[in-house]
Amino acid sequence: PILNDHSELKPRRPAEEYIKGVLAGNRVILSQAITLVESRLESDQDLAELVLAGCMSHTGNSYRLGITGVPGVGKSTFINAFGMHLLDQNAKLAVLAVDPSSQRTHGSILGDKTRMADLSLDKRAFIRPSPAKETLGGVTRSTRETILLCEAAGFNTIIVETVGVGQSETAVHSMVDFFLLLMLSGAGDELQGIKKGIVEMADGLVINKADGENLLAANKAQVEYQKALHLLAPNRNNWSPMVLTCSSTLPSGMEEIHSMLEAYKTKMQTGSDWKENRKRQARQWMRDTILNLLEDKFFKDKGVQNQLPEFDEQVVQGVIAPTSAAKSLIRLYLQGL
Ligand code: GDP
């Protein structure tokens, strides 16, 4: 199991203290509560559950925004600029960001300060980095819980960033209200390393770096993507994804992106789509958790651990079919319960 930031060495508080602190919007305690729900230590599980339970009735009141794109597209620069725009509109913003120390970009490791420079200095924003290395592009099993804790702490806009590497997009898509894909002009989807299906998942496409020499190409790309998306059926909830351009460095285009998010929310909330989407996600979350917990328990089981090498060998040698081996191991596990 992956242990994060030596959480096993830190003393814990009583559940009541975490709950009170989070609900009061205390940043230090919020961070500690996040560390607690991120912990994979057996001894932390009950406490984490209590804390979440105590916060549940104060959750759900935020705009959950997922942002993805390949490394170098400008995610952190964009979140910095868009985040500042949101703060100026009085949003209470929390960003669950990919930890720079675990992400390689252009062959160099970006320092903390170069990512989201303004936002990280602004006391109004709360930024929580999560490691990209050992997890799914910065999305962990506990990202959903972290969203809930941030909501309980009073944040009404939550940005979840993920590195565009594939699986992580599906995970983030399943936990946000709006899924935004950042793109570059002048390179096809494949060249950009965008996995098939990601474009179809997006509620909005934004072509970044629409500035200087790149401006014309960005506008051209916008028209092309608009045409291409027109051919696709409207995605979830009958929403036809929009294509916009922006510059995160100037910055420009932030208002338009904000308007798109508001238009989406208005449309979704006019009917029952907003709520239905959240309900669907909650059901999915429970099912995903069941699978995760079962997987954990299965592989931690002593009997399974004893037998696994033997089965591995026989599967590798072609003595048993992998499906048969899997079924035998599961039978063994269930008998041992
Ligand atoms: P990330 O890996 O997706 O988080 O990308 P970064 O935010 O680190 O940006 C990668 C590089 O692109 C950096 O050198 C940024 O300064 C640059 N960049 C990001 N957004 C823009 C933009 O809108 N215009 C221009 N010209 N450069 C940008």
Side-chain angles (χ1 to χ4, degrees):
I2 300 140
L3 297 177
N4 38 53
D5 68 3
H6 308 291
S7 53
E8 73 273 27
L9 303 176
K10 302 232 177 81
R12 298 300 187 215
R13 299 167 181 279
E16 232 6 80
E17 267 183 49
Y18 286 108
I19 297 166
K20 266 201 195 132
V22 169
L23 295 184
N26 181 321
R27 309 282 181 103
V28 175
I29 298 190
L30 172 62
S31 295
Q32 293 171 353
I34 294 173
T35 301
L36 177 70
V37 300
E38 282 175 347
S39 167
R40 300 285 295 276
L41 285 178
E42 204 59 44
S43 54
D44 279 335
Q45 303 310 306
D46 289 349
L47 184 57
E49 226 176 283
L50 279 175
V51 171
L52 277 170
C55 291
M56 274 315 285
S57 61
H58 301 268
T59 63
N61 298 318
S62 82
Y63 202 136
R64 302 169 183 169
L65 171 64
I67 292 179
T68 193
V70 296
V73 70
K75 287 180 298 301
S76 58
T77 316
F78 171 78
I79 294 171
N80 184 58
F82 190 57
M84 291 308 291
H85 174 84
L86 291 174
L87 289 180
D88 289 342
Q89 312 287 315
N90 292 321
K92 298 196 175 74
L93 175 69
V95 180
L96 314 184
V98 170
D99 184 351
S101 64
S102 65
Q103 188 196 14
R104 283 182 165 270
T105 308
H106 313 311
S108 67
I109 297 173
L110 292 177
D112 230 335
K113 299 223 168 52
T114 57
R115 291 196 112 230
M116 303 175 199
D118 305 306
L119 212 53
S120 57
L121 291 178
D122 199 304
K123 288 207 164 56
R124 295 171 294 175
F126 177 78
I127 303 181
R128 175 75 184 194
S130 49
K133 228 183 334 194
E134 294 121 347
T135 61
L136 218 53
V139 184
T140 66
R141 283 182 181 188
S142 55
T143 301
R144 286 176 173 116
E145 273 111 342
T146 303
I147 292 175
L148 296 180
L149 290 174
C150 289
E151 287 175 348
F155 293 100
N156 64 9
T157 311
I158 305 199
I159 293 180
V160 185
E161 178 196 17
T162 177
V163 203
V165 287
Q167 268 182 306
S168 62
E169 279 86 353
T170 317
V172 170
H173 182 253
S174 74
M175 59 181 83
V176 297
D177 304 307
F178 192 102
F179 189 57
L180 192 150
L181 174 61
L182 277 187
M183 307 192 63
L184 295 171
S185 60
D189 296 357
E190 273 153 51
L191 273 179
Q192 292 192 36
I194 295 166
K195 295 281 181 315
K196 234 180 144 226
I198 305 290
V199 174
E200 284 90 333
M201 251 195 277
D203 300 301
L205 262 59
V206 173
I207 296 152
N208 191 33
K209 309 197 187 184
D211 48 49
E213 289 178 347
N214 214 12
L215 186 57
L216 277 178
N219 291 338
K220 215 174 124 215
Q222 181 184 21
V223 175
E224 277 165 15
Y225 273 108
Q226 273 164 345
K227 275 190 208 150
L229 284 180
H230 212 70
L231 301 174
L232 298 172
N235 73 356
R236 65 177 169 190
N237 313 323
N238 240 348
W239 169 260
S240 302
M242 293 172 77
V243 187
L244 299 174
T245 61
C246 81
S247 167
S248 302
T249 43
L250 286 177
S252 70
M254 298 299 144
E255 262 167 45
E256 288 78 3
I257 296 166
H258 195 187
S259 301
M260 166 174 69
L261 293 180
E262 289 308 313
Y264 175 84
K265 186 174 182 179
T266 304
K267 181 167 188 296
M268 294 302 114
Q269 291 192 335
T270 303
S272 57
D273 290 326
W274 186 270
K275 280 192 181 143
E276 283 306 319
N277 189 42
R278 290 261 177 113
K279 285 184 192 171
R280 207 165 41 237
Q281 290 178 336
R283 284 193 293 266
Q284 190 58 47
W285 178 5
M286 183 178 77
R287 279 160 180 71
D288 289 351
T289 310
I290 292 173
L291 293 181
N292 284 338
L293 291 177
L294 283 177
E295 185 183 4
D296 268 3
K297 285 206 184 310
F298 178 81
F299 285 106
K300 276 187 192 151
D301 184 77
K302 285 277 171 295
V304 170
Q305 284 180 354
N306 286 338
Q307 296 290 326
L308 202 54
E310 172 83 24
F311 276 96
D312 271 339
E313 191 53 31
Q314 299 203 11
V315 164
V316 169
Q317 299 295 335
V319 180
I320 328 180
T323 11
S324 311
K327 284 178 185 165
S328 299
L329 275 166
I330 289 173
R331 262 196 302 275
L332 255 167
Y333 170 69
L334 290 176
Q335 276 161 16
L337 288 183

